Amino acid sequence: MRFADELRNAVTPRAAALVIGVLALQLLFIASYIGALHHPDPKDVKVAVVAPPQAAEQAIERLRALPGDPLDPRALTDEQDARGQMLQRDIDAALLIDPRSTEDTLLTASGQGAAETRALIRIFEQVERAQQRTLAVEDVAPASAGDAGGLSSFYLVVGWCVGGYLCAAVLAISAGARPANSSRALLRLAVMALYSVVSGLLGAVIAGPVLGALPGSVAALWGLGALVVFAVGAATLALQSLFGIVGIGLAILLVVIAGNPSAGGAVPGPLLPDFWRSIGPALPPGAGTWTARSIAYFLGNAVMGPLLVLSAWAAVGTSITLIMASLRRNGEEDGGPVGAGTSPRAPA
């Protein structure tokens, strides 16, 4: 047999298309991660200035005049209000100006990410130096000793997301990407739900009691983990129902390539470029990371929006999976593993 014939037999058009798709995902991965993370640059970080009215107005004018608009300052008259808004995650930092002294105090929250804290300290040290003043720093919501850089919440959520799409992918590879009927779709979703509960619990226990990386309620992290895993898993099942085995690649595109660099983990949201900052809160990694940090360091505040995002992914994914299964003929064979035209056994 000639080489060309061997090549045609070894690499089918379907396999060639999938390889090209893998190459595209690889290049998008490189572009997304480098594009989002190669040059962290603060933009419109929400900060408060606590000072008498005239001093606050002058300070806000100086902060607004900084090149590149790194800060979005607003005046507050009460230190306790500033601390409360930081714990509510309404602002990221607060500058306390004492006109009777040459030293001011910057309130930070390293639990929301060390990279943002370092950037804010650097900016305010330069501002204070220009005014011939010094700066003291107080951490209102410090990252735990076992959570260097405040990254454990991000890595925990990434692990949950990986589990979600891999579990759905295994179901597709083992028994066909598209469930043959509604009953089998329900079974897949039930397996996904059980897996989500177990993996959510184990992830929370590892991050909390076992490694001591994250403080906060283990039960709350467990619930978050179950929701993250199921949201990603249900979305992957839905994409597989719509696009077959290619749906796994689309799930990776959404969760890994778009979701992880925009999640605010290694580089918090206010330091990301506009595109990634815009999409991050709407994707499971971003919503999950925000919520995990709130549970660990901010008394569980400001989680309603991200939880609604995760719930929407879970609900829409479940609905699409069931609708697509109901449209298939009962017992119809579907596409199986990569490189095969049909599943080697009855789809489940």
Side-chain angles (χ1 to χ4, degrees):
M1 185 178 293
R2 293 179 304 170
F3 175 76
D5 297 324
E6 289 280 9
L7 181 62
R8 279 195 296 270
N9 289 333
V11 183
T12 64
R14 183 171 185 262
L18 290 172
V19 168
I20 292 172
V22 169
L23 176 62
L25 285 176
Q26 172 190 312
L27 298 178
L28 286 171
F29 182 98
I30 294 170
S32 183
Y33 276 72
I34 295 179
L37 308 178
H38 77 289
H39 183 58
D41 187 23
K43 183 73 173 179
D44 295 329
V45 182
K46 296 176 291 184
V47 300
V49 175
V50 179
Q54 185 175 359
E57 183 178 347
Q58 293 173 349
I60 288 174
E61 288 179 0
R62 288 194 295 270
L63 297 178
R64 285 178 177 163
L66 292 174
D69 298 321
L71 304 177
D72 177 18
R74 72 282 313 269
L76 293 177
T77 58
D78 182 69
E79 177 182 341
Q80 289 305 116
D81 186 20
R83 292 176 180 271
Q85 289 198 30
M86 288 184 68
L87 291 177
Q88 290 289 338
R89 309 197 74 178
D90 293 328
I91 58 175
D92 297 295
L95 180 66
L96 310 180
I97 297 177
D98 184 359
R100 300 165 299 179
S101 170
T102 59
E103 181 180 77
D104 299 326
T105 301
L106 178 66
L107 302 181
T108 63
S110 61
Q112 65 193 0
E116 182 177 356
T117 299
R118 288 193 298 268
L120 288 171
I121 292 174
R122 183 174 64 253
I123 291 170
F124 279 99
E125 283 180 341
Q126 293 173 352
V127 171
E128 293 291 287
R129 194 179 303 118
Q131 299 298 311
Q132 297 183 339
R133 299 177 67 82
T134 58
L135 186 71
V137 178
E138 180 182 345
D139 203 338
V140 173
S144 71
D147 183 18
L151 293 174
S152 296
S153 53
F154 170 61
Y155 291 134
L156 175 60
V157 171
V158 168
W160 280 330
C161 289
V162 169
Y165 69 72
L166 283 183
C167 181
V170 166
L171 292 173
I173 293 171
S174 63
R178 297 182 175 97
N181 52 50
S182 297
S183 297
R184 294 182 184 182
L186 280 171
L187 284 173
R188 288 193 183 188
L189 289 166
V191 170
M192 195 72 248
L194 178 60
Y195 176 86
S196 300
V197 171
V198 173
S199 63
L201 173 60
L202 295 178
V205 170
I206 290 171
V210 174
L211 297 179
L214 287 181
S217 168
V218 172
L221 287 174
W222 177 13
L224 171 64
L227 181 56
V228 169
V229 176
F230 187 78
V232 173
T236 305
L237 290 174
L239 290 170
Q240 291 169 177
S241 297
L242 289 168
F243 303 104
I245 204 73
V246 175
I248 298 174
L250 295 177
I252 292 173
L253 174 64
L254 284 172
V255 176
V256 179
I257 295 174
N260 286 354
S262 66
V267 175
L271 277 66
L272 289 171
D274 290 341
F275 172 75
W276 285 270
R277 188 190 315 172
S278 299
I279 67 173
L283 297 173
T289 299
W290 175 278
T291 306
R293 282 177 170 161
S294 289
I295 291 170
Y297 300 118
F298 297 92
L299 308 177
N301 292 320
V303 299
M304 181 61 69
L307 289 177
L308 288 175
V309 168
L310 291 169
S311 299
W313 279 94
V316 172
T318 298
S319 299
I320 291 175
T321 300
L322 293 175
I323 290 171
M324 293 303 297
S326 70
L327 297 177
R328 292 177 62 82
R329 291 176 299 174
N330 192 22
E332 177 184 356
E333 291 187 348
D334 64 349
V338 175
T342 58
S343 176
R345 60 189 181 88

